[in-house]
Amino acid sequence: MKLPNKARAGNRSRRASGLLRHGLTAHGVLCYVFLYLPILVLVAFSFNASRYSGLWRGFTLQWYEALFSNAALGAALRTSLVVALASTAISTVLGTAVALGLERFAFRFRPLMDVLLYLPIIIPDIAMAVMLLLFFVLTRVPLGVGTIVVSHVAFNVSYVALVVRARLAYFDISLEEAAQDLYADEWQTFRRVTLPLLMPGILGGALLAFTLSLDDFVIAFFVSGPGATTLPLRVYSMIKLGVTPEINALSSLMLLASIGLIALSGALSRR
Amino acid sequence: MAEYAVELRNVSKFFGSVAAVRNVTLGIREGEFFSLLGPSGCGKTTTLRLIAGFELPTAGEVYIGGELQGDTPPYRRPVNTVFQNYALFPHMTVYENVAFGLRMRRLPENEIRRQVHEALEMVRLSGLERRRPRELSGGQQQRVALARALVNRPRVLLLDEPLGALDQKLRRAMQLELKNLQQQVGITFIYVTHDQEEAMTMSDRIAVMDQGAILQVGTPAEIYECPASRFVADFIGETNLLEGKVVEVWDHHALVLVDGARMVCGAVPEGVRVGQRVTVAIRPERISLHAQPPGPLAIPGIVRDVVYTGADIRYMVRMADRVTVLVRSPNTGNGSTPHFLRNETVYLSWRPESARLLVA
């Protein structure tokens, strides 16, 4: 009989597709385990009472206490925040202006400017670091917090411009015309219509710049001077003496902060 | 008081070497519902943008209320625009959208509140003040755009295909509503559309445009009854365009030989000579069909096709060897217009004035 045969074949193919589906699910789960297990281990060990061994010796908050009483780390965190805030503020204004300029105006060297703008994103950090150091040495600018800020602005402008331009690409130019039609001059149009509509992109770019600045090690390592030690630089010098649970605690806090920032930028760009 | 609400004198606009608008001269009267009608790319939207100030003319002058505009920016011109895609500010509520123009003109807040409510009432949107544009239907968004422009009591309202995005039924309703609104507020409307039926329904006068130039300006009846060129005759409504040669001219009448058939035309312009190649334009509903020849000038033909559309019956009638004409016969149901079948022999007749002789 034809019909039962067909039904059996159908069963077989259903079973095969079931296997495939479970296999794929397992594969997906393993990918996430690979990504997140080390992080979970790190967070867990920041609460481990044992100083040296990988064995679990009970729950403690002592590493977090040690962290908050470490004056050198506190100073480094302050330096990092100053650098991040300053470079973010400058690069957000410059990057937004660059994005508007490149998107709205046609001028002779625009294609070239386009390429040049994205170069800092593409070239390796180490190359950028060497170039910046060379530049500061040649111009005899004393190395310090200022040079780190300038260096961070140098790459953050590109990131901000990239994010703002993505938003601008979807910007309906007739909204600006409508504002001008309703008696708003160029400045009022920018302030009441263009800027509020670009704001999610601008804030997203600013958060990205802030994160990149906090995160940067290579460039800061080259262009920092005496007394200008950012958090990553301080962590690096601590690690030379071995990975302590204190560093685990610090990493866990930084993880929490980045998750917070990412959630914030996600919420902003959905608006 | 200026003679015209808006006047264009020899206005041209080039984008690079492409002429979007060519030497347009146009006067739009105070309180008029004026339409710019033409196919896409004919320059009608550019003409509107030249009046609004979004584009500046390459040559010629734009006057609004008798004042030369020159390079006056849009925000200093006494006109407001309803945009094709409405261009409502997505980050503002309906109330804030409508209040925008009044705020820019720094009216006191209680005056703004009163006028915004009045405008929203006029377009029947009261109660939706706190909604965002994306929470409204297409028809409602369209009304917000209208209220946002009209609340400023502009001297001239510019409308760029404002009904283009609406479905047919809503479109029809909005056409009548817009026309009523215009008569109620008494503001000059300049309306851009590619829909000839829409233009005919609403306008006091229409300018038909093609390739950047104005071909004809007139009331809907003038443009329908007396098209000045083949393009206008063809673009407005349905027309049979038949090419032929003039064989006789007398007293504003002419006899034209069209593929062996001799057609009589009335209202023939001066200067038409015997032997000239011309086009005869005749509307399908102006031809009547008869079973017996009604007079010596009736032309015999054979019904090739019959299409029943409800309100009327459409016949394709083969008149001579190659020429087929469309005839539209009203479905009166009382026997006043006889019905014919496929392959029946019929006789075509029309009043001479219904057959327009076009040389362009």
Side-chain angles (χ1 to χ4, degrees):
Chain A
M1 271 173 73
K2 244 183 169 171
L3 221 66
N5 268 344
K6 235 180 178 172
R8 256 203 302 281
N11 270 338
R12 208 179 304 134
S13 81
R14 244 199 309 282
R15 219 175 301 131
S17 83
L19 258 174
L20 188 64
R21 202 166 53 234
H22 290 307
L24 279 175
T25 309
H27 174 258
V29 169
L30 280 174
C31 279
Y32 277 91
V33 167
F34 178 73
L35 282 174
Y36 284 96
L37 193 62
I39 296 175
L40 288 176
V41 168
L42 178 135
V43 173
F45 274 78
S46 73
F47 297 108
N48 190 356
S50 158
R51 179 156 195 110
Y52 298 108
S53 98
L55 290 173
W56 183 259
R57 290 274 164 79
F59 181 85
T60 180
L61 285 175
Q62 70 177 100
W63 311 120
Y64 285 89
E65 280 166 37
L67 192 64
F68 287 118
S69 53
N70 186 332
L73 262 184
L77 179 64
R78 247 192 317 281
T79 308
S80 264
L81 287 176
V82 166
V83 167
L85 285 173
S87 71
T88 298
I90 298 168
S91 54
T92 301
V93 174
L94 289 181
T96 303
V98 166
L100 278 166
L102 284 176
E103 200 69 25
R104 289 295 168 76
F105 300 102
F107 48 90
R108 215 167 133 205
F109 296 109
R110 194 170 75 169
L112 182 67
M113 297 288 284
D114 241 356
V115 175
L116 287 180
L117 181 65
Y118 295 126
L119 217 51
I121 297 176
I122 301 160
I123 57 173
D125 276 1
I126 184 73
M128 185 124 176
V130 171
M131 290 186 287
L132 283 164
L133 179 61
L134 211 61
F135 171 74
F136 290 132
V137 169
L138 285 174
T139 53
R140 292 164 198 272
V141 176
L143 297 178
V145 174
T147 49
I148 305 179
V149 171
V150 169
S151 306
H152 283 188
V153 168
F155 65 82
N156 272 339
V157 166
S158 303
Y159 284 97
V160 172
L162 191 73
V163 175
V164 174
R165 277 187 84 175
R167 183 94 187 169
L168 263 177
Y170 291 99
F171 194 93
D172 181 1
I173 201 92
S174 68
L175 291 173
E176 288 183 356
E177 288 181 347
Q180 298 215 357
D181 189 66
L182 296 164
Y183 317 109
D185 60 30
E186 288 85 354
W187 169 244
Q188 286 168 319
T189 299
F190 179 73
R191 203 167 61 84
R192 304 247 179 178
V193 175
T194 316
L195 198 58
L197 288 173
L198 287 184
M199 204 38 102
I202 294 172
L203 289 179
L207 283 174
L208 183 63
F210 189 76
T211 315
L212 289 171
S213 174
L214 273 186
D215 190 47
D216 168 62
F217 173 79
V218 176
I219 292 171
F221 184 77
F222 276 74
V223 301
S224 71
T229 308
T230 61
L231 197 58
L233 296 180
R234 169 61 59 193
V235 171
Y236 177 70
S237 67
M238 283 166 71
I239 264 178
K240 279 195 258 184
L241 308 170
V243 180
T244 64
E246 226 174 310
I247 289 173
N248 288 345
L250 179 64
S251 306
S252 301
L253 287 181
M254 287 174 81
L255 184 69
L256 196 68
S258 4
I259 289 172
L261 283 178
I262 287 164
L264 191 63
S265 92
L268 284 171
S269 62
R270 257 196 304 278
R271 282 210 320 192
Chain B
M1 197 70 187
E3 187 187 355
Y4 292 116
V6 172
E7 195 184 354
L8 305 183
R9 283 192 206 153
N10 307 107
V11 170
S12 293
K13 176 67 184 177
F14 285 81
F15 294 108
S17 60
V18 182
V21 173
R22 293 167 207 246
N23 201 25
V24 163
T25 295
L26 191 62
I28 295 153
R29 295 179 197 127
E30 210 71 60
E32 193 170 35
F33 197 122
F34 191 92
S35 289
L36 294 168
L37 174 66
S40 63
C42 73
K44 56 194 192 295
T45 295
T46 306
T47 305
L48 199 74
R49 292 171 61 81
L50 285 163
I51 299 169
F54 300 133
E55 311 284 354
L56 296 177
T58 312
E61 293 118 44
V62 176
Y63 295 84
I64 299 173
E67 280 178 37
L68 177 63
Q69 294 301 307
D71 55 3
T72 309
Y75 49 87
R76 293 219 188 87
R77 296 193 183 201
V79 299
N80 288 114
T81 307
V82 176
F83 290 82
Q84 187 166 16
N85 58 359
Y86 315 140
L88 298 176
F89 304 126
H91 59 301
M92 297 182 196
T93 61
V94 168
Y95 180 92
E96 288 167 331
N97 263 284
V98 178
F100 191 90
L102 303 174
R103 289 219 166 112
M104 288 300 120
R105 288 191 298 162
R106 299 179 193 288
L107 262 66
E109 201 59 35
N110 58 348
E111 185 62 20
I112 291 176
R113 200 172 316 120
R114 195 184 62 74
Q115 291 195 22
V116 170
H117 285 305
E118 205 178 280
L120 286 174
E121 204 166 304
M122 186 169 66
V123 297
R124 297 190 281 107
L125 280 180
S126 299
L128 297 182
E129 286 86 350
R130 298 163 77 89
R131 296 270 191 97
R132 300 260 167 173
R134 65 167 169 274
E135 296 164 342
L136 302 176
S137 70
Q140 288 171 329
Q141 291 183 20
Q142 211 279 323
R143 286 162 205 264
V144 176
L146 206 56
R148 185 177 71 173
L150 278 176
V151 76
N152 303 293
R153 313 231 158 248
R155 184 169 196 127
V156 179
L157 186 71
L158 309 174
L159 303 101
D160 187 5
E161 307 225 16
L163 307 182
L166 305 179
D167 65 62
Q168 189 62 36
K169 204 167 173 187
L170 193 53
R171 230 181 135 99
R172 289 261 165 84
M174 283 302 296
Q175 285 171 8
L176 294 177
E177 207 169 304
L178 264 180
K179 178 74 188 161
N180 286 337
L181 199 64
Q182 189 260 342
Q183 282 165 349
Q184 188 189 322
V185 295
I187 291 173
T188 309
F189 276 35
I190 304 179
Y191 192 95
V192 162
T193 181
H194 66 271
D195 183 336
Q196 47 102 5
E197 204 182 307
E198 193 164 287
M200 300 284 279
T201 309
M202 299 162 71
S203 317
D204 296 320
R205 284 196 306 151
I206 299 173
V208 183
M209 291 187 75
D210 186 41
Q211 293 177 17
I214 290 186
L215 301 181
Q216 192 173 356
V217 181
T219 64
E222 279 165 5
I223 290 200
Y224 189 80
E225 306 279 342
C226 315
S229 62
R230 248 188 101 106
F231 180 88
V232 175
D234 200 27
F235 192 75
I236 311 288
E238 283 180 310
T239 305
N240 292 297
L241 292 171
L242 310 167
E243 289 181 26
K245 197 190 257 179
V246 179
V247 289
E248 209 179 319
V249 180
W250 76 97
D251 188 23
H252 293 292
H253 284 60
L255 208 54
V256 180
L257 192 64
V258 176
D259 193 29
R262 296 159 83 85
M263 302 183 69
V264 62
C265 300
V268 171
E270 297 286 341
V272 170
R273 291 164 290 104
V274 171
Q276 198 174 341
R277 309 277 323 168
V278 293
T279 301
V280 178
I282 181 161
R283 302 280 180 195
E285 72 276 13
R286 295 290 169 85
I287 305 176
S288 28
L289 298 180
H290 312 268
Q292 299 298 325
L297 292 169
I299 296 172
I302 295 167
V303 176
R304 304 306 309 222
D305 231 328
V306 184
V307 179
Y308 178 87
T309 62
D312 44 39
I313 297 168
R314 301 158 68 88
Y315 298 97
M316 295 301 295
V317 180
R318 172 74 61 85
M319 223 169 63
D321 290 344
R322 282 173 295 132
V323 179
T324 302
V325 295
L326 174 67
V327 179
R328 223 160 75 189
S329 178
N331 188 8
T332 56
N334 60 11
S336 63
T337 50
H339 291 184
F340 297 93
L341 301 173
R342 212 183 140 110
N343 292 331
E344 253 185 292
T345 300
V346 292
Y347 293 88
L348 299 94
S349 76
W350 53 83
R351 292 171 58 84
E353 307 80 65
S354 295
R356 312 279 317 169
L357 200 150
L358 304 174
V359 286

